[in-house]
């Protein structure tokens, strides 16, 4: 939903689109922008059955982090108030606040409950619970996370793995597991040219401490020395992009058999999925891994790590699970998939993804939660 990064928050938009199948949904996104001139800017969108209002506020930057936090929190509150006012003037007051990702949205949702009696729920996908980032927060931050989370009328998590890690972190509530969903995608873009090569794909934020793409590049470069009909395509951007490109350059594979394509819109990602032979997801942690399901929905198998979310849906019928950080298992899996990807039943993969991760199922779950919260207010 971000004007600079079309993939940022796409999983939130997909859940909102699922809920919109059964409810009137307006999506409010409030985010900072380092580059804009105006203090607050608005962008309205109508897509995937969802009315979205995106409010950008100019990010405050100074040498002092505490000053930045205070000013940016103030600007976030101001931008949120403007967004809520604009939505209310157009649609009237809403019945339920669905706060997605702690902490600021949950604070806003709690305030709306306190001042206007609007019930709220919280949904989470953050990998910081399994990675230890939440545990490393100071005592006060963790207290507020737990305090606001427990005051939500309901909570959802995208996997049982994430739910368990959140409960272990002290975030207790009445959870519903709502996996990420796939959507019907129109094939607006032509498939990539077929050059006779086996195309391996990774789609990820280029943050190597979690996604471990450097290891995938290194293992691929070793395999490529003896298997000459393969290519490795990487979609995404992030803080380690230059580092990863330099690694590929050092190994002699950059723009020869390893290609970086930058950030892509969701429809463009599907173009690459349809044109690839299998996906590699070599993360150290994943709360779900939507890209694995999207790959299956295009009929291609996946190699993924036992890193949390993927453990719950990847089986020998749709892919290969390996241990995180095990280079030998990764090498064996890629080599085996190069020769064995044709053994997977594409139609079976498509049916599996469509049957278990469709928008209708998620939308029904959200509708049920919303109705229960509204009924509690009425009683």
């Amino acid at each position: 939903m971000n004007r600079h990064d079309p993939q940022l928050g796409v999983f939130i938009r997909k859940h909102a689109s699922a809920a919109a199948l059964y409810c009137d949904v307006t999506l409010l996104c409030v985010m900072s922008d380092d580059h804009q001139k105006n203090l607050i800017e608005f962008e309205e969108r109508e897509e995937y059955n969802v009315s979205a209002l995106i409010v950008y506020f100019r990010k405050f930057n100074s040498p002092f982090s505490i000053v930045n936090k205070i000013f940016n929190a103030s600007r976030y509150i101001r931008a949120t108030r403007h967004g809520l006012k604009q939505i209310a003037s157009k649609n009237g007051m809403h019945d339920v606040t669905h706060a997605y990702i702690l902490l600021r949205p949950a604070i806003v949702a709690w305030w709306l409950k306190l001042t206007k009696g609007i019930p709220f729920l919280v949904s989470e996908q953050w990998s910081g619970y399994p990675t230890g980032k939440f545990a490393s927060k100071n005592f006060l931050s963790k207290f507020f996370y737990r305090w606001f989370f427990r005051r939500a009328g309901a909570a959802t998590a995208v996997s049982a793995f994430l739910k368990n890690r959140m409960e272990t972190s002290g975030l207790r509530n009445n959870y519903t597991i709502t996996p990420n969903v796939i959507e019907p995608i129109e094939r607006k873009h032509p498939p990539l040219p077929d050059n006779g090569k086996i195309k391996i794909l990774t789609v990820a934020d280029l943050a190597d401490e979690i996604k471990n793409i450097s290891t995938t590049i290194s293992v691929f470069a070793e395999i490529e020395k003896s298997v000459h009909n393969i290519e490795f395509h990487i979609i995404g951007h992030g803080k380690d992009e230059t580092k990863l490109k330099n690694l590929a350059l050092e190994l002699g594979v950059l723009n020869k058999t390893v290609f970086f394509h930058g950030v892509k819109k969701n429809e463009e990602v599907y173009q690459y999925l349809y044109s690839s032979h299998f996906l590699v997801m070599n993360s150290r942690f994943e709360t779900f891994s939507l890209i694995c399901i999207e790959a299956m929905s295009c009929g291609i198998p996946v190699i993924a790590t036992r890193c949390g979310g993927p453990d719950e849906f990847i089986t020998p019928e749709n892919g290969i699970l390996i241990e995180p950080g095990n280079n030998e298992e990764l090498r064996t899996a890629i080599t085996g998939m190069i020769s064995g990807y044709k053994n997977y039943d594409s139609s079976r993969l498509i049916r599996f993804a469509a049957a278990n991760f469709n928008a209708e199922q998620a939308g029904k779950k959200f509708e049920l939660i919303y109705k229960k919260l509204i009924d509690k207010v009425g009683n």
Side-chain angles (χ1 to χ4, degrees):
M1 299 299 294
N2 185 287
R3 59 190 172 191
H4 302 299
D5 183 353
Q7 284 295 316
L8 184 64
V10 67
F11 48 83
I12 300 175
R13 196 265 301 151
K14 290 188 176 189
H15 266 174
S17 181
L21 293 173
Y22 306 99
C23 312
D24 291 328
V25 174
T26 301
L27 186 59
L28 174 62
C29 303
V30 180
M31 58 190 74
S32 63
D33 191 325
D34 289 325
H35 310 292
Q36 71 185 40
K37 294 181 179 179
N38 299 321
L39 186 60
I40 295 178
E41 295 181 3
F42 298 90
E43 180 183 351
E44 292 186 86
R45 295 186 191 177
E46 290 280 345
E47 54 185 9
Y48 301 97
N49 301 320
V50 174
S51 298
L53 175 63
I54 307 171
V55 187
Y56 298 95
F57 64 90
R58 189 173 67 236
K59 189 174 184 180
F60 185 85
N61 289 304
S62 78
F64 308 103
S65 61
I66 185 64
V67 175
N68 293 339
K69 288 181 180 180
I70 293 171
F71 270 85
N72 286 321
S74 175
R75 291 182 178 185
Y76 174 87
I77 293 170
R78 181 178 178 183
T80 301
R81 289 179 62 188
H82 278 286
L84 289 169
K85 184 177 180 180
Q86 185 166 318
I87 291 171
S89 66
K90 183 178 180 180
N91 304 322
M93 191 56 63
H94 59 280
D95 299 304
V96 176
T97 307
H98 190 159
Y100 221 114
I101 308 296
L102 294 163
L103 179 64
R104 285 178 177 177
I107 296 174
V108 172
W110 170 80
W111 181 251
L112 288 171
K113 179 183 177 182
L114 188 67
T115 59
K116 300 185 182 300
I118 301 172
F120 76 99
L121 69 150
V122 176
S123 291
E124 262 293 7
Q125 300 219 11
W126 187 40
S127 63
Y129 302 105
T131 62
K133 286 186 177 180
F134 176 81
S136 67
K137 288 182 176 293
N138 61 54
F139 171 81
L140 195 59
S141 292
K142 286 188 282 190
F143 170 81
F144 281 122
Y145 266 74
R146 293 162 179 157
W147 194 89
F148 285 108
F149 189 81
R150 290 173 182 172
R151 274 146 187 81
T156 77
V158 290
S159 63
F161 165 75
L162 177 59
K163 169 184 175 289
N164 293 337
R165 291 302 180 94
M166 290 177 68
E167 288 182 329
T168 300
S169 299
L171 284 87
R172 296 183 174 85
N173 204 300
N174 180 25
Y175 283 87
T176 300
I177 305 301
T178 53
N180 281 320
V181 299
I182 56 172
E183 299 168 317
I185 296 292
E186 294 182 19
R187 298 173 74 166
K188 298 178 181 178
H189 301 275
L192 300 177
D194 185 358
N195 57 5
K197 299 291 183 69
I198 295 173
K199 294 181 176 65
I200 304 165
L201 181 66
T202 284
V203 182
D205 294 329
L206 303 188
D208 207 40
E209 74 275 9
I210 294 178
K211 304 299 182 179
N212 199 17
I213 298 170
S214 58
T215 297
T216 310
I217 293 172
S218 298
V219 169
F220 173 86
E222 292 178 19
I223 296 172
E224 184 259 355
K225 292 176 183 177
S226 56
V227 182
H228 304 297
N229 65 329
I230 57 175
E231 293 178 347
F232 183 28
H233 296 265
I234 301 170
I235 293 177
H237 70 158
K239 64 184 183 67
D240 294 322
E241 183 171 353
T242 300
K243 172 187 135 178
L244 295 170
K245 286 181 176 178
N246 287 338
L247 173 62
L249 181 63
E250 292 170 10
L251 295 172
V253 293
L254 182 64
N255 296 329
K256 295 177 181 178
T257 54
V258 173
F259 304 92
F260 289 80
H261 300 284
V263 67
K264 296 291 181 183
K265 295 180 180 178
N266 204 216
E267 292 82 0
E268 294 173 311
V269 171
Y270 271 81
Q271 176 192 16
Y272 283 85
L273 286 168
Y274 281 123
S275 304
S276 300
H277 296 89
F278 62 93
L279 179 90
V280 175
M281 194 285 295
N282 192 36
S283 297
R284 293 185 173 91
F285 300 97
E286 289 286 344
T287 59
F288 183 78
S289 189
L290 176 59
I291 190 61
C292 287
I293 296 300
E294 291 177 327
M296 294 178 199
S297 75
C298 295
I300 66 172
V302 302
I303 296 171
T305 50
R306 294 185 181 90
C307 60
D311 308 31
E312 298 178 22
F313 57 81
I314 292 180
T315 68
E317 286 73 36
N318 54 37
I320 300 172
L321 278 173
I322 62 174
E323 289 301 317
N326 191 317
N327 295 8
E328 189 56 41
E329 281 195 19
L330 178 62
R331 184 181 296 105
T332 300
I334 293 176
T335 303
M337 193 67 85
I338 288 170
S339 59
Y341 71 88
K342 292 181 180 178
N343 297 329
Y344 291 86
D345 186 339
S346 292
S347 60
R348 184 173 183 175
L349 297 179
I350 294 170
R351 289 195 303 272
F352 172 79
N356 294 282
F357 304 98
N358 61 75
E360 289 77 10
Q361 289 179 347
K364 278 290 186 184
K365 286 185 177 182
F366 286 131
E367 182 192 31
L368 181 61
I369 295 171
Y370 300 156
K371 285 182 176 179
K372 287 182 177 179
L373 293 177
I374 293 170
D375 289 344
K376 284 184 179 179
V377 174
N379 295 331

